[in-house]
Amino acid sequence: MDNEKNINTQNALIIKNSIVSKFANTISAVTKNDIVYFFFDGFLDADIINMFDIEYFRRSLLTGFRIFVFDMNNVKGLNIHAVRFLSKLGVEAAEYGALLTIIGLDTKGVQPKLLEDLEIVGFVFFADEKTFTK
């Protein structure tokens, strides 16, 4: 590693005291092609409220994003608490005419009634991203 004094700062960006890691207690979001993707992991329960950045979601709605993909390829299952929270997002998105999709959710471990509740508030389910983009 070079000493900071030996680096030509005209063409370099110096980063000090950085941490590179994956924080597992948050749901990550990526914006790509005018679509906001949220990536979920593990079992979704009441903790989803603490992990989901609701303000980012709301700002995205306010700035004009109308398609949200909830990537649940790595989700093991979800319970009624997670469905209630997602339903609230569905109602909020409906006010803006936004489309909420869930891709990759393994529905074997999810009660059919919970999936129906999500469909009622506007979620659309796709097996994978290829199916979604067709």
Side-chain angles (χ1 to χ4, degrees), residues 30-102:
V30 174
T31 304
K32 178 174 75 170
N33 299 330
D34 294 331
I35 300 172
V36 179
Y37 290 82
F38 292 98
F39 297 92
F40 297 80
D41 286 320
F43 186 82
L44 303 181
D45 56 15
D47 287 338
I48 193 172
I49 296 166
N50 300 323
M51 298 182 323
F52 192 84
D53 188 351
I54 189 73
E55 291 307 315
Y56 181 81
F57 177 75
R58 288 176 176 153
R59 281 192 308 272
S60 297
L61 283 170
L62 287 170
T63 56
F65 287 96
R66 295 298 178 253
I67 302 174
F68 296 85
V69 173
F70 291 51
D71 186 323
M72 295 194 181
N73 282 300
N74 296 321
V75 170
K76 308 294 186 257
L78 51 96
N79 68 14
I80 187 67
H81 301 292
V83 170
R84 282 185 188 147
F85 177 76
L86 293 171
S87 295
K88 289 178 184 178
L89 296 180
V91 170
E92 202 165 329
E95 294 176 13
Y96 291 89
L99 171 68
L100 298 181
T101 65
I102 293 177

Side-chain angles (χ1 to χ4, degrees), residues 19-32:
I19 298 173
V20 178
S21 68
K22 179 180 179 184
F23 294 102
N25 62 344
T26 60
I27 296 169
S28 60
V30 174
T31 304
K32 178 174 75 170

